[in-house]
Amino acid sequence: MKIANSVFLVTGGASGLGAATARMVVEGGGRVVLADLNEKAGKALAAELGAAARVVRTDVTDEASTQAAVEAAVQGCGGLHGLVCCAGVAPGEKVVGKDGPHGLDRFVRGVMINLVGTFNPIRLAAAAMSKAAPNEEGERGVIVTTASVAAF
């Protein structure tokens, strides 16, 4: 998949690996939709990247919110050619610590964002890309998932 003239949706796109990915896409001649809950950071990055970037407040664990980000690419940018999943959290907590067991609510949040929040954009982006006409190389899109060393 060539980056130039392609539109990429980047989850967690307002900071960290997502922001670095967004910069790379724009530097490569592509356009990017930054899907992130952090609107302030997303707006700042979109302003830095210029007309090739837009931000959509997105909760990757929510179907409607994520579908809106996909639609922002498809309708607002002329298509969706790639998804890069960078949204994630790393609750750095031992199973049992000084104050007792790991908080279940923090574990569930991690599972929702890191697992559901990866699968949800994949399924919605794949559905949108499957409806597109193939490019010159016969491709309809690409999906990249990422992980962090924080998992270890």
Side-chain angles (χ1 to χ4, degrees), residues 50-142:
R54 65 184 297 186
V55 63
V56 177
R57 186 180 190 285
T58 306
D59 176 350
V60 292
T61 69
D62 179 73
E63 182 172 11
S65 178
T66 306
Q67 184 63 47
V70 169
E71 288 302 317
V74 173
Q75 301 299 326
C77 297
L80 178 59
H81 308 105
L83 166 68
V84 183
C85 297
C86 295
V89 295
E93 195 172 331
K94 294 178 180 178
V95 173
V96 178
K98 293 178 190 176
D99 299 322
H102 187 299
L104 184 59
D105 59 333
R106 291 181 296 280
F107 178 78
V108 169
R109 178 177 179 265
V111 168
M112 288 299 293
I113 294 169
N114 297 335
L115 182 59
V116 174
T118 298
F119 177 74
N120 190 35
I122 288 172
R123 71 188 187 88
L124 297 173
M129 289 187 279
S130 73
K131 296 174 186 170
N135 64 15
E136 308 82 49
E137 289 83 26
E139 302 166 327
R140 292 179 188 206
V142 62

Side-chain angles (χ1 to χ4, degrees), residues 1 5-8 31 78-83 129 140-143:
M1 174 65 56
N5 302 313
S6 295
V7 178
F8 289 81
R31 289 174 286 157
L80 178 59
H81 308 105
L83 166 68
M129 289 187 279
R140 292 179 188 206
V142 62
I143 297 174

